[in-house]
Amino acid sequence: EVQLVESGGGLVQPGRSLRLSCTTSGFTIGDFAVTWVRQAPGKGLEWVGFIRKKAHDGTTEYAASVKGRFTISRDDSKSIAYLQMNSLKTEDTAVYYCTRGYCSGGSCYFADAFDFWGQGTMVTVSS
Amino acid sequence: QSALTQPRSVSGSPGQSVTISCTGTSSDVGAYNRVSWYQQHPGKAPKLMIYDVNERPSGVPDRFSGSKSGNTASLTISGLQAEDEADYYCCSYAGTHTIYVFGTGTQVTVL
């Protein structure tokens, strides 16, 4: 069974840092891109960023709202992906989901969709 | 990059059909066939319902179908059932600068 489990959320002051983890099982994480999506309380979904699989150089892409502050990494040997969040702002308050990138065919440099999601972890940025 | 535009809410009686629109631009929905739809029940994680405009993942009922015309994608739920009551979000690939953009979300109510 494919599973993704986020952890590391909590309450943090503005300007501080937090690292989220996405622990996966039931599939070989090395064969997939991992994407982070967030949802502010009562709001819609927002794409945060993703990391490609090693076969695609493991490069990353980020939304403009987090670029330069957030960093995604992966440790395929541990089946874990990470979201390092620095210089946090109150507007970063959200549930953060990690997802698996799905490709129907082709090079898959960019995923077609996000087929499995974790349950999410809440990050609250407040003084 | 602005979010894709969806109606705030749609409703229908059991057995009826409802259609949710997702309007973007010629830089996202209109340019690529990487449009997907997600169902989200309250307090739960989103679930993939449609990918590549009109493809259904294994396990998704064929009551759910997708289409696209120009800059607008649509999700149709036929034979509406009580368990279909949820929020629905579209998502489109938007090129190498913006990458992905989600819709504003639509609440589906089964009357």
Side-chain angles (χ1 to χ4, degrees), chain B residues 2-87:
Chain B
S2 299
L4 306 175
T5 301
Q6 298 180 230
R8 198 172 188 88
S9 64
V10 299
S11 62
S13 299
Q16 288 187 331
S17 293
V18 295
T19 296
I20 304 168
S21 62
C22 169
T23 301
T25 70
S26 57
S27 298
D28 40 62
V29 175
Y32 307 98
N33 286 327
R34 285 195 178 114
V35 176
S36 51
W37 289 89
Y38 302 86
Q39 176 192 65
Q40 186 180 34
H41 287 108
K44 300 294 186 181
K47 174 186 176 183
L48 176 64
M49 305 302 285
I50 294 286
Y51 66 93
D52 290 353
V53 175
N54 56 12
E55 299 292 332
R56 272 187 316 276
S58 173
V60 172
D62 59 7
R63 304 183 289 104
F64 292 86
S65 62
S67 63
K68 190 185 85 167
S69 177
N71 297 338
T72 299
S74 299
L75 174 72
T76 298
I77 309 173
S78 306
L80 201 60
Q81 297 185 5
E83 60 261 36
D84 300 333
E85 187 162 290
D87 292 328

Side-chain angles (χ1 to χ4, degrees), chain A residues 5-58:
Chain A
V5 179
E6 303 90 341
S7 59
L11 174 63
V12 60
Q13 293 179 326
R16 303 299 291 266
S17 299
L18 201 63
R19 189 179 79 161
L20 306 183
S21 299
C22 172
T23 303
T24 70
S25 60
F27 68 102
T28 302
I29 189 177
D31 291 339
F32 295 88
V34 175
T35 296
W36 289 88
V37 176
R38 69 184 180 183
Q39 186 170 35
K43 302 296 184 182
L45 302 173
E46 180 188 13
W47 175 76
V48 172
F50 75 91
I51 184 166
R52 295 182 177 88
K53 57 186 180 183
K54 290 288 173 58
H56 285 149
D57 299 325

Side-chain angles (χ1 to χ4, degrees), chain A residues 89-107:
Chain A
K89 306 176 181 179
T90 55
E91 52 263 43
D92 294 320
T93 294
V95 174
Y96 284 74
Y97 296 100
C98 66
T99 79
R100 191 179 80 167
Y102 171 79
C103 293
S104 59
S107 70

